[in-house]
């Protein structure tokens, strides 16, 4: 009848199964959306600090190597690029190492969570905790499709949906019900499945030992609320290689920071800027070429702002430049604090003498990372980004004044010599990484294990049915 | 029904209206039950834009509005219904709604819907209602160049073609017409397998 | 070039002389504008950090007393209120002291510059350098009308005009011609005559000894450009009472900071928010009740933002709160640096040991003051305000780390004890101000000299003609 016609009016070529992971299958019904999503393969756009080009962050800013000493990110870290690369990039990153087979490698299976529509399929088949269990390498042949339709859509009616348990559970923890989300909120929440800060909790009651994916939102989404959350848990992601501080890593709190900005305040959603309407042959559809809006100002910004493209880009760059100015200074001070702390240890400092200092370093770097890790943050919410960096500057100052006093007590009352970290290579050498070995392991993985995964996957998928619909189906 | 196109919206005068009213009442009686069920008449009396999407012909305009700069500030009725006084608002709505309903129910909807002259007048007044200071005050020249001259004589959307439905019009302009319905709030945004799995925890 | 301006067709009741200082005379021709300007006498509105109420800043934040130790502002500093109080407030402030007659008192005549439409009159009569010469008390009977029409308007056609030489000269110094200003720019430039950072240059060639009013814009209006300007001149406003640092005072750089914000970028002018149109009896006119726009959101903001009043105010407060959070922490650190520097001196530090530290303190406090002194700044340009505070936090950290090392060298390797500055009174006692004497001197001035000034002024003004126009004049 007509009512449902209004809801869903198209002639499906195929009928899409509940957790269909293959984007090209969905693409047969929705060619425009699918074709545009393929454009996330384009890597030609580069902006002041974003864009789809592969950007080696460690090379652009070798301070990062020091800040993440002892942690995977010091080996390799690139700026995110198009969704189509999610699988390729997680294969290639040195962070996932060079596993030789099941049960091998540094990373847990949880790492797959935000990379593919195979994830809801697997979670449905195996169970959530089971999905998170085991090594990253264990599920290599199962997760092969890059981010796609099943991550965000209900195949029955193409409505937006949430497929990642972490977000649902985070809403629960905050006492909210995600099912109450409005349509417009959903246009940001689908992104909040992935563009959010997270950690792996191995101590969840009943799931001990499983690196369960959790968004630390229970006390709220501000930098202070999450800091308290982690402090209360006495959680740390790793112990710093130089300062031995119990560190936290902030991963892309994109949604959290965005929510504090004026666009969120005015009801603008992620999709408004990153997936605006597009016209093709007189037809309008949602542009699934998710990318930097600066490559698409007329659709992304000028719907609302009657302002010249040049000027809008200038506005964005200006906010980013101002944030970068403070951020780089803050990083310099954090680097100093790690090296000064190391000097203290070298000179024989005791745990008791170091305790407060290391807590300060933990907090200062957490705040820095929160403000830096979501690459869009300095535009999405420039004032909050600046506030967070301001608070980090205050805390790192505390640390460094204490360090100066302690160093003096330990007989070193002068500036600590800083290593040459002018390039990524020098910095990595300084923190003692064996890059050659890391690269060799990765190559071996790509030569031996990876092709097997892809073969297995192909065989598996070839057996999955595609059901052609014979006539226009009315649902 | 060519005659309907002649209707002017302004307060009813003379017997012209009575004639039409009789016709509308007939429409209501005849289609009342059907309408109430099929198009959620009561929701049509609200300001909720989702009410308009009860008709699929309204989905393209709904969707274009949903992606427009006005989504957060102006709903359909803010533009398409007179706001000079309460009487006019509901009078216009009733008339308009019943008109659309009858056209729709008779499957007479055209491919490209166009605003009737009366509607245009209403919309123009509504643009001005919200933006009067911006478009009439010379002092905001520094901000909006060129509105200092009196632009009230032209239809705003002759320049602001994008506001709010975009440049391209027509039933087929928006593919895969998917728009939220009033009933959507009853539904879950997570798949049932996930709901079960999470509840189990 | 200037756009054609609306011609004012009116029937003047009086003909207004070129530098007519008496607002009530202009008011006979323009009763609506005049009446509304009188409302700046209202002191009932108070917002989170602004409003027209008298607010004792030193009481609200006693850290300021320490920061300005050795300088007039530590005696007395209020937040600005309505223009109608400009004269009363400069009479009353302890900063102008208790002069007993001509040639007496701490302040130069230059202080009158931004307080009254008598200033253009006097400058015209006497010459500019002559106006700036001598003591504040010397011109007490000449400057009596609070800020008004002649400051901003040309009496012949009511066009906006610039009456203060400092602004014209600053444009010259930047290689710009203020006569090229558009009508819209003028709607901010009239404010930039006063709401700007300034200093008194006593070394201008040909005007040696005269505290000549200069806006330090030659290198630009950013905090760095002005800092460099002052450093190059080796200028300092005073030597700090505790740290002995050669300090700079930033006075209300309202226009400068505003210019970096998004509203300025979009061509919004001061008058748009602080002097919006108002309707009275069907007539529209420019509201001359210049005040916090938060007391007038519907005219001031909702012209452009059809957003609820509550939300707009929330937006403003949120930006102000975030800035205040960082600002107060920064002040704490600056206070510490002054006290720590004092401790160094007490322990026998040498000039050579202190030099770099004092330069850091100078720069850090300058940057703080630049971000704080213009009370509207944290809304006018929240991102720039935050950037400037960030840079101050970095510099004060440098100072404090050096201080920690120096203190240790001097045998004090532990935190320096901080005085109790929990109230304005305690802080003022700590820096050694004799508040009783200051108040007594002021009272004496108000009892003895002030009434004479007002009397003389009245006699003088009674002799100034008011020319009634007989017929309607069309201009
Ligand atoms: Ca994390
Ligand atoms: Ca100054």
């Amino acid at each position: 009848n007509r009512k449902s016609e209004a809801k869903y009016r198209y002639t499906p070529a195929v009928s899409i199964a509940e957790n269909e992971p293959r984007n090209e299958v969905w693409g047969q019904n929705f060619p425009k959306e699918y074709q545009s999503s393929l454009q996330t393969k384009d890597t030609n756009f580069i902006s002041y600090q974003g864009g789809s080009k592969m950007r080696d962050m460690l090379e652009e800013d070798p301070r990062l190597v020091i800040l993440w000493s002892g942690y995977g990110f010091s080996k390799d870290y690139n700026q995110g690029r198009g969704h189509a690369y999610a699988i390729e990039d997680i294969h290639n990153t040195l962070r996932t190492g060079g596993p030789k087979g099941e049960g091998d490698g540094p990373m847990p299976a949880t790492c797959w969570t935000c990379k593919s529509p195979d994830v809801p399929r697997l979670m449905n088949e195996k169970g959530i905790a089971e999905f998170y269990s085991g090594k990253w390498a264990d599920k290599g042949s199962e997760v092969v499709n890059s981010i796609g339709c099943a991550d965000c859509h209900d195949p029955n009616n193409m409505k937006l949906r949430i497929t990642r348990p972490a977000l649902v559970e985070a809403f629960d923890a905050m006492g909210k019900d995600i099912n109450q989300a409005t349509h417009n909120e959903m246009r940001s929440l689908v992104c909040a499945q992935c563009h959010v800060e997270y950690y792996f909790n191995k101590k969840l009651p009943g799931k001990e030992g499983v690196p369960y994916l959790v968004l630390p939102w229970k006390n709220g989404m501000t930098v202070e609320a999450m800091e308290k959350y982690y402090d209360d848990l006495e959680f740390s992601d790793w112990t710093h290689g130089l300062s031995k501080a119990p560190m936290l890593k902030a991963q892309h709190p994109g949604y959290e920071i965005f929510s504090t900005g004026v666009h969120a305040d005015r009801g603008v959603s992620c999709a408004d800027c990153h997936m605006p309407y597009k016209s093709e042959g007189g037809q309008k559809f949602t542009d699934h070429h998710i990318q930097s809006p600066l490559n698409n100002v007329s659709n992304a910004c000028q719907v609302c702002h009657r302002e010249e493209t040049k000027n809008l880009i200038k506005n964005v760059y200006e906010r980013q430049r101002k944030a970068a100015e403070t951020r780089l200074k803050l990083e310099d001070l954090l680097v100093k604090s790690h090296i000064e702390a190391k000097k203290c240890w070298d000179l024989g400092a005791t745990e008791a003498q170091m305790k407060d200092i290391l807590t300060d370093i933990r907090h200062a770097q957490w705040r820095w990372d929160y403000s830096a890790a979501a690459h869009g943050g300095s535009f999405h919410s420039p004032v909050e980004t600046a506030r967070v960096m301001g608070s980090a500057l205050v805390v790192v100052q505390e640390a460094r004044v204490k360090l100066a006093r302690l160093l003096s007590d330990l007989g070193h009352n002068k500036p600590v010599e800083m290593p040459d970290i002018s390039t990524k290579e020098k910095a990595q050498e300084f923190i003692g990484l064996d890059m050659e070995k890391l690269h060799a392991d990765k190559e071996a993985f790509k030569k031996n294990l990876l092709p097997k995964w892809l073969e297995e996957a192909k065989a598996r998928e070839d057996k999955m049915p595609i059901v052609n619909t014979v006539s226009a189906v009315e649902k | 029904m060519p005659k309907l196109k002649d209707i002017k919206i302004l307060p009813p005068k003379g017997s012209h209206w009575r004639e039409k009213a009789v016709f509308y009442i007939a429409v209501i009686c005849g289609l009342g039950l059907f309408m109430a069920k099929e198009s959620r008449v009561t929701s049509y009396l609200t300001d909720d834009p989702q009410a308009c999407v009860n008709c699929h012909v309204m989905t393209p305009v709904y969707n274009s509005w949903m992606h427009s700069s006005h989504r957060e500030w102006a709903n359909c009725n803010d533009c398409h219904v007179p706001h000079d006084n309460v009487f006019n608002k509901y009078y216009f709505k009733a008339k308009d709604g019943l008109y659309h309903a009858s056209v729709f129910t008779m499957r007479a909807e055209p491919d490209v819907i166009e605003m009737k002259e009366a509607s245009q007048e209403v919309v123009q007044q509504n643009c001005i209602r919200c933006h009067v200071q911006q478009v009439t005050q010379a002092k905001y020249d520094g901000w909006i160049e060129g509105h200092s001259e009196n632009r009230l004589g032209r239809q705003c959307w002759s320049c602001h073609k994008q506001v709010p439905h975009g440049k391209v019009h027509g039933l087929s302009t928006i593919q895969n017409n998917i728009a939220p319905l009033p009933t959507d709030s009853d539904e879950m945004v997570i798949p049932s397998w996930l709901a079960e799995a999470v509840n189990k925890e």
Side-chain angles (χ1 to χ4, degrees), chain A, chain B:
Chain A
N1 73 8
R2 273 178 174 230
K3 180 169 61 185
S4 15
E5 206 177 3
K7 197 168 182 180
Y8 189 37
R9 194 170 184 252
Y10 74 104
T11 317
V14 298
S15 110
I16 302 170
E18 171 67 12
N19 280 306
E20 175 59 64
R22 291 165 300 176
N23 299 322
E24 57 278 16
V25 175
W26 298 62
Q28 295 187 37
N29 287 351
F30 309 103
K32 285 199 157 62
E33 287 81 4
Y34 174 66
Q35 293 298 335
S36 61
S37 81
L38 289 182
Q39 291 180 271
T40 59
K41 287 219 172 106
D42 184 334
T43 57
N44 286 310
F45 182 69
I46 178 157
S47 61
Y48 165 62
Q49 73 170 32
S52 53
K53 201 170 150 276
M54 189 102 182
R55 292 178 79 158
D56 184 332
M57 296 293 288
L58 303 182
E59 202 167 285
E60 291 189 6
D61 183 6
R63 296 173 193 85
L64 302 179
V65 175
I66 306 298
L67 298 182
W68 292 323
S69 164
Y71 198 52
F73 280 88
S74 62
K75 303 177 194 166
D76 190 11
Y77 171 49
N78 299 296
Q79 209 185 29
R81 46 182 181 155
H83 281 173
Y85 291 99
I87 294 292
E88 186 179 322
D89 287 345
I90 197 171
H91 286 161
N92 288 343
T93 182
L94 296 179
R95 301 206 295 279
T96 47
K100 301 207 169 55
E102 283 205 17
D104 193 22
M107 291 298 175
T110 322
C111 282
W112 291 115
T113 314
C114 300
K115 306 292 180 263
S116 166
D118 283 308
V119 173
R121 177 181 65 82
L122 282 170
M123 286 184 166
N124 185 15
E125 289 170 11
K126 299 183 193 262
I128 299 170
E130 291 72 14
F131 171 84
Y132 294 143
S133 301
K135 284 287 177 188
W136 176 71
D138 303 358
K139 298 198 174 67
S141 64
E142 288 283 4
V143 190
V144 287
N145 294 287
S146 219
I147 302 170
C149 325
D151 289 321
C152 304
H153 288 286
D154 181 338
N156 298 313
N157 53 16
M158 290 309 284
K159 283 199 329 198
L160 295 176
R161 67 168 181 186
I162 302 299
T163 56
R164 297 304 193 272
L167 184 62
V168 180
E169 291 155 356
F171 264 65
D172 269 356
M174 294 189 297
K176 292 193 202 166
D177 178 2
I178 202 162
N179 285 309
Q180 303 301 314
T182 64
H183 178 65
N184 194 40
E185 284 164 355
M186 284 299 286
R187 300 173 79 249
S188 291
L189 285 173
V190 289
C191 316
Q193 302 185 89
C194 302
H195 290 267
V196 288
E197 154 63 359
Y198 67 86
Y199 76 112
F200 299 158
N201 191 333
K202 291 196 187 158
K203 296 181 185 165
L204 276 190
K207 286 160 205 133
E208 285 82 1
V210 176
Y212 203 94
L213 183 69
V214 180
L215 317 183
W217 295 354
K218 204 177 161 185
N219 306 332
M221 294 187 194
T222 60
V223 75
E224 290 86 0
M226 293 198 204
E227 183 182 282
K228 182 170 178 329
Y229 176 96
Y230 286 129
D231 283 355
D232 288 350
L233 276 184
E234 297 185 27
F235 175 84
S236 65
D237 282 291
W238 89 104
T239 300
H240 198 271
L242 303 168
S243 65
K244 313 288 173 226
M247 303 299 291
L248 294 170
K249 176 80 190 77
Q251 282 97 339
H252 38 71
Y255 178 75
E256 297 92 322
I257 293 181
F258 171 74
S259 308
T260 64
V262 74
H263 283 103
D265 187 66
R266 297 295 195 265
V268 185
S269 65
C270 309
D272 284 326
C273 298
H274 292 281
M275 306 182 75
Y277 252 9
K278 184 180 174 167
S279 264
E280 227 174 66
Q283 286 207 321
K284 283 185 250 179
F285 64 99
T286 297
D287 192 347
H288 281 61
H289 182 190
I290 297 179
Q291 61 171 336
S292 162
L294 301 188
N295 197 22
N296 189 21
V297 172
S298 59
N299 289 331
C301 316
Q302 284 166 344
V303 170
C304 298
H305 297 285
R306 308 205 109 247
E307 190 65 41
E308 279 181 38
T309 300
K310 230 179 46 200
N311 198 38
L312 285 162
I313 294 184
K314 197 200 77 190
N315 293 152
V316 174
Y317 286 3
E318 201 178 278
R319 281 158 187 72
Q320 294 178 333
R321 287 217 173 85
K322 286 182 183 179
E325 180 192 322
T326 307
R327 180 167 47 76
L328 293 179
K329 289 181 191 164
L330 172 55
E331 287 175 11
D332 275 334
L333 301 172
L334 286 166
V335 165
K336 285 188 185 168
S337 71
H338 284 298
I339 307 238
E340 286 163 353
K342 179 176 185 316
K343 184 83 185 176
C344 289
W345 289 119
D346 291 349
L347 293 170
T350 66
E351 301 264 345
Q353 284 175 314
M354 295 296 285
K355 190 157 186 296
D356 280 3
I357 292 171
L358 299 186
T359 306
D360 286 342
I361 295 181
R362 166 190 168 94
H363 290 161
Q365 181 156 331
W366 155 254
R367 285 157 189 242
W368 158 75
D369 212 355
Y370 183 97
S371 76
H375 301 295
S378 48
F379 169 73
H380 294 151
S381 190
V383 185
E384 177 68 1
T385 300
R387 182 191 75 85
V388 170
M389 291 193 293
S391 81
L393 280 165
V394 172
V395 182
V396 74
Q397 169 160 171
E398 269 313 296
R400 292 198 62 230
V401 169
K402 288 179 198 157
L403 279 163
R405 288 199 197 108
L406 178 53
L407 280 165
S408 168
D409 272 341
L410 298 168
H412 187 95
N413 192 24
K414 61 187 176 210
V416 173
E417 215 182 308
M418 289 294 141
D420 176 3
I421 53 165
S422 53
T423 66
K424 165 181 163 180
E425 288 69 30
K426 290 182 186 170
Q428 286 176 329
E429 208 192 305
F430 174 75
I431 64 166
L433 281 179
D434 183 350
M435 294 309 294
E436 255 168 60
K437 176 161 189 321
L438 292 173
H439 281 291
D441 289 353
K442 184 52 93 182
E443 284 315 307
F445 158 76
K446 279 160 73 176
K447 221 179 110 200
N448 307 322
L449 190 57
L450 183 54
K452 276 198 213 128
W453 287 359
L454 300 181
E455 240 167 72
E456 277 176 47
K458 189 166 179 311
R460 178 177 46 79
E461 288 199 341
D462 282 349
K463 278 183 251 148
M464 286 171 71
I466 301 179
V467 184
N468 283 295
T469 51
V470 204
S471 62
V473 182
E474 290 232 335
K475 310 205 171 193
Chain B
M1 289 171 294
K3 268 193 252 166
L4 286 175
K5 291 200 165 166
D6 300 327
I7 298 177
K8 293 275 176 283
I9 34 149
L10 297 169
K13 270 181 201 150
S15 61
H16 182 62
W17 161 239
R18 285 166 201 251
E19 250 176 61
K20 309 291 181 219
V22 171
F23 170 75
Y24 287 130
I25 290 162
V27 170
I28 292 189
C29 297
L31 303 171
L33 278 175
F34 176 67
M35 290 289 303
K37 177 165 162 290
E38 285 296 288
S39 57
R40 299 181 186 86
V41 159
T42 45
S43 70
Y44 189 57
L45 290 173
T46 73
D47 280 341
D48 185 351
Q50 292 191 9
C52 304
V53 209
N54 276 327
C55 289
H56 75 84
V57 289
M58 290 291 116
T59 7
V61 278
Y62 176 88
N63 275 318
S64 51
W65 164 81
M66 219 270 294
H67 288 81
S68 81
S69 58
H70 284 75
R71 176 186 66 217
E72 299 298 324
W73 287 284
N75 59 39
C76 316
N77 291 335
D78 284 326
C79 286
H80 289 288
V81 169
H83 285 259
D84 44 359
N85 68 51
V86 176
F87 170 73
N88 236 348
K89 175 172 168 175
Y90 286 100
Y91 165 66
F92 190 86
K93 250 176 115 161
K95 183 198 69 96
D96 217 35
L98 291 168
Y99 166 61
H100 300 172
S102 25
V103 173
F104 189 78
T105 314
M106 288 173 235
R107 287 198 165 256
E109 73 270 17
D111 275 348
V112 176
I113 300 174
E114 270 172 31
M115 274 201 293
K116 308 285 169 286
E117 210 182 304
S119 295
Q120 293 175 5
E121 183 53 30
V122 167
V123 172
Q124 176 78 355
Q125 287 314 319
N126 278 321
C127 302
I128 295 169
R129 177 172 61 88
C130 287
H131 292 289
V132 63
Q133 286 155 301
Q134 291 159 14
V135 294
T136 58
Q137 291 185 10
K139 67 184 296 183
Y140 296 108
D141 246 24
W143 175 49
I144 314 179
E145 221 176 324
H147 272 70
S148 49
E149 300 103 82
N150 195 336
R151 291 267 162 85
L152 302 180
R154 299 178 57 177
Q155 284 181 325
C156 304
W157 55 95
S158 64
C159 293
H160 296 286
K161 291 197 170 70
Q162 302 284 356
V163 176
H165 300 295
K167 278 183 192 156
V168 192
H169 296 256
L171 265 185
S172 56
T173 55
I174 295 186
Q175 252 210 341
N176 307 325
N177 270 316
I178 295 165
L181 293 170
T183 48
D184 278 7
S185 47
D186 311 336
E187 291 170 26
M188 306 249 282
V189 304
I190 56 180
S192 46
W193 65 266
L194 180 54
E196 276 165 34
V198 171
N199 281 340
K200 241 184 13 215
E201 314 275 316

